[in-house]
Amino acid sequence: MSEKKRKRTSEPTDRPGKKVAVGAPPDEVKVSVLPGSDQWAPVIASTPGLSLPTKISFQPYHKSQRAAHARPTPGPGGGTITSELLLHSSTHPKIDYTGREEEAEGTDSLLKHYVGVYDPKTGELQVMPARKLVVRGSVRQTAIPAPDETGDDDKSDAAPKLSSRATLGLSFGTKKSQKAIRALTENAISPRKARSGTASTPSSSQPLDPLAAAVIDSMASTTSNMPTREEMQSAVDDAKPRPKPNLNATTPAEVYPVSNLVGGEETLRLIVVRDWQDAVAANKPVLTKSRFVSKRLAKVAQSGDVKKLKTLRYLLILLEFYGALTSGPKGIKKVPQKEQLRKAMGNANEGMTEGVRGRFADANTLNKWHTDNLLTHICALALTIDNFDLDTHDLREDLKLENKQYLSLLPFFPSVVPCPCPAPSSQHKYTKLISNLLRRITQYLNELGCKTAALSEPERAKRGLTKAQAAAHRVARLRLPLGFPKTRVLPSARRR
């Protein structure tokens, strides 16, 4: 027979079954409203679109509103707000935070804000009117440096704009843009630091760091030896393919002395003109390959000026040398073999031929510079023969400097020599075509310091030329003071 088990008698305990509330708030709460102050009050701030740092302090500012400019709004105490409250913080290294009261619209314009403080011991709740502010952030701008003594404000304004853009990129840009900005500004020297003082006399307020001082010192020592604009222009003029002019000359004849044009007094003595003198004395014609030389040979020989006659002979040698050159690739001209060159320059002895080859050619080739040097020497000799008042027509015909592109259009117009002036309808096109044909010879003469112009009406009548014939003639005059073409300096392209 089984025995029934008895339940174990529970031992008594001192702990109650329910927890006793300790320090419970009273059943009744006393609410009191403190009067609001028009100047200082608690602030309820919102930060739309911003995430404020956890540790940031604001400086409050108070300003009375003008009744004429500020519209009164319902205040926390039931009246109107007659003052303006502002909070500002510049503790962040790059961003300024500003809290202002913004006017609400619609039904929110009558909304009031309160702040309550509850004391659980006494059961009192104190409510005080508060002000609603909106905190917004703005990237701090770099102070604009003072303009320098030259008054160049554009350069002083460029640095702050660039700094603001770089600050925005570092604050809100992608990792790639931030890396690019850091790479650009890694070795930069601040313009304000450079302007505040030099390496030797740094400014007491903003001294230069050692790296910037060293860079500025090296820049000063390097730029001190840089040539001036006049020195650079002089170096460019000396390197041009033309005879070196005498800038201290007092007469046109002293600008390009004949001895310099022919290669020295020794070369001038080696030039033989006895055959020309005898032929002119016997009234025998002298045949040459140059129209310019043939028209002036008799007149120069009859004048008895042997030096000018030798100059004319040397000019003929250069014209024959230029005519014997053969064209090569990329505008390079080649000097023919000795036998072919001797046949082309039949009137010159072998010593004179080799002297011209060695003076104007480089290893039997003439590039653009050598060709221009030869042509400018020919133009300078022609100026000397015509007493520095040169008609370019005959010389241009000898050198064959017409542009083939424009020369191919010439048959569409009346011929320059035998025909009268073109019809008025085509006069403008005809004049422009002739101007393009004369452009190259004009450029060489301008490089020598000459001024070229068309024939005047008395000159045209004196030479017995028609208007169509005179269109192909230009007169180059060498006068003092000399004027040479300046080197064009193109402006650098602006970076976007």
Side-chain angles (χ1 to χ4, degrees):
M1 185 174 180
S2 60
E3 295 180 359
K4 293 183 178 179
K5 294 183 178 181
R6 293 181 299 177
K7 293 183 179 180
R8 183 179 179 179
T9 305
S10 58
E11 297 179 359
T13 179
D14 296 336
R15 294 183 300 176
K18 294 183 179 180
K19 293 183 179 181
V20 180
V22 178
D27 297 336
E28 296 182 357
V29 177
K30 296 182 181 180
V31 179
S32 61
V33 179
L34 300 179
S37 175
D38 190 27
Q39 294 183 355
W40 304 109
V43 173
I44 300 176
S46 62
T47 59
L50 291 178
S51 178
L52 289 179
T54 56
K55 296 181 180 180
I56 187 171
S57 60
F58 287 88
Q59 183 71 25
Y61 297 92
H62 178 268
K63 178 181 178 182
S64 300
Q65 289 183 346
R66 295 182 181 179
H69 299 283
R71 187 179 64 178
T73 57
T80 58
I81 296 176
T82 59
S83 62
E84 181 181 0
L85 181 62
L86 183 142
L87 299 179
H88 181 75
S89 174
S90 58
T91 57
H92 193 275
K94 298 176 182 179
I95 301 177
D96 291 338
Y97 295 99
T98 305
R100 297 178 182 271
E101 294 179 285
E102 296 183 357
E103 182 179 355
E105 297 180 355
T107 57
D108 293 341
S109 60
L110 302 177
L111 185 64
K112 301 179 182 179
H113 298 82
Y114 293 89
V115 174
V117 179
Y118 175 69
D119 188 357
K121 294 182 178 181
T122 61
E124 293 183 357
L125 175 63
Q126 295 180 345
V127 181
M128 184 177 183
R131 289 195 175 188
K132 174 67 182 306
L133 272 68
V134 178
V135 179
R136 302 187 185 276
S138 60
V139 179
R140 187 178 301 115
Q141 295 183 357
T142 305
I144 301 177
D148 51 9
E149 297 179 357
T150 57
D152 194 357
D153 296 337
D154 296 339
K155 296 181 180 179
S156 63
D157 293 342
K161 294 179 182 178
L162 181 60
S163 177
S164 300
R165 184 180 301 176
T167 305
L168 281 172
L170 291 174
S171 301
F172 306 104
T174 61
K175 292 183 178 179
K176 186 176 181 180
S177 63
Q178 292 177 3
K179 183 179 179 181
I181 294 173
R182 291 190 183 98
L184 289 175
T185 59
E186 195 172 18
N187 297 323
I189 299 177
S190 174
R192 293 187 62 189
K193 291 182 178 180
R195 188 181 290 109
S196 62
T198 59
S200 59
T201 58
S203 174
S204 58
S205 58
Q206 293 182 351
L208 291 177
D209 56 272
L211 176 61
V215 172
I216 292 179
D217 278 340
S218 63
M219 290 174 59
S221 60
T222 303
T223 56
S224 60
N225 298 326
M226 290 182 62
T228 61
R229 183 181 294 271
E230 291 75 13
E231 293 175 348
M232 294 175 63
Q233 183 65 40
S234 177
V236 171
D237 292 340
D238 293 340
K240 285 185 176 181
R242 67 183 181 193
K244 188 173 182 179
N246 180 16
L247 301 180
N248 298 324
T250 57
T251 61
E254 296 177 357
V255 178
Y256 300 105
V258 175
S259 59
N260 294 343
L261 295 177
V262 300
E265 294 290 344
E266 185 65 26
T267 304
L268 195 62
R269 285 194 294 266
L270 295 176
I271 299 175
V272 180
V273 293
R274 172 60 64 180
D275 53 340
W276 281 4
Q277 291 175 332
D278 295 341
V280 172
N283 292 326
K284 294 180 180 180
V286 179
L287 300 180
T288 66
K289 299 179 181 180
S290 169
R291 178 182 298 185
F292 182 88
V293 175
S294 298
K295 286 187 177 181
R296 293 157 177 80
L297 193 151
K299 182 179 179 180
V300 175
Q302 292 173 359
S303 65
D305 191 345
V306 180
K307 186 175 182 179
K308 181 174 286 189
L309 189 61
K310 289 186 176 183
T311 304
L312 188 63
R313 188 62 175 265
Y314 190 80
L315 174 61
L316 178 62
I317 294 173
L318 293 186
L319 290 172
E320 291 176 344
F321 178 77
Y322 178 77
L325 300 177
T326 58
S327 299
K330 298 181 180 180
I332 296 177
K333 294 185 179 294
K334 296 183 178 180
V335 181
Q337 299 296 329
K338 286 186 177 181
E339 294 297 331
Q340 298 177 357
L341 185 61
R342 187 180 295 110
K343 291 179 181 180
M345 303 173 62
N347 295 326
N349 54 42
E350 185 175 357
M352 190 64 62
T353 303
E354 293 301 322
V356 172
R357 182 206 295 265
R359 184 182 180 191
F360 294 100
D362 183 15
N364 289 334
T365 58
L366 283 82
N367 57 18
K368 183 65 168 59
W369 190 94
H370 294 93
T371 304
D372 291 344
N373 186 40
L374 175 61
L375 291 175
T376 51
H377 276 77
I378 291 175
C379 292
L381 290 169
L383 278 169
T384 304
I385 299 300
D386 280 4
N387 297 322
F388 309 99
D389 196 349
L390 172 65
D391 186 350
T392 63
H393 180 266
D394 294 335
L395 188 61
R396 179 175 57 85
E397 293 292 333
D398 291 339
L399 296 175
K400 298 181 177 63
L401 292 178
E402 296 89 350
N403 193 333
K404 295 181 180 180
Q405 177 183 358
Y406 299 106
L407 192 62
S408 61
L409 301 176
L410 197 58
F412 295 96
F413 295 92
S415 179
V416 175
V417 179
C419 295
C421 182
S425 59
S426 60
Q427 177 67 43
H428 176 70
K429 295 182 179 179
Y430 179 77
T431 305
K432 186 176 181 180
L433 173 63
I434 295 299
S435 176
N436 289 324
L437 290 174
L438 303 177
R439 181 176 299 172
R440 192 173 177 189
I441 186 68
T442 302
Q443 289 177 349
Y444 288 122
L445 291 167
N446 289 341
E447 288 294 337
L448 295 175
C450 297
K451 302 296 182 182
T452 58
L455 291 177
S456 61
E457 193 63 24
E459 291 175 339
R460 182 189 67 81
K462 182 180 179 180
R463 302 186 186 192
L465 301 175
T466 63
K467 291 185 177 180
Q469 293 172 345
H473 291 254
R474 291 290 185 275
V475 178
R477 297 181 176 87
L478 184 64
R479 299 290 184 267
L480 297 179
L482 297 174
F484 298 100
K486 298 296 183 181
T487 303
R488 293 182 59 188
V489 179
L490 298 178
S492 58
R494 294 183 178 178
R495 297 181 178 178
R496 294 182 178 180

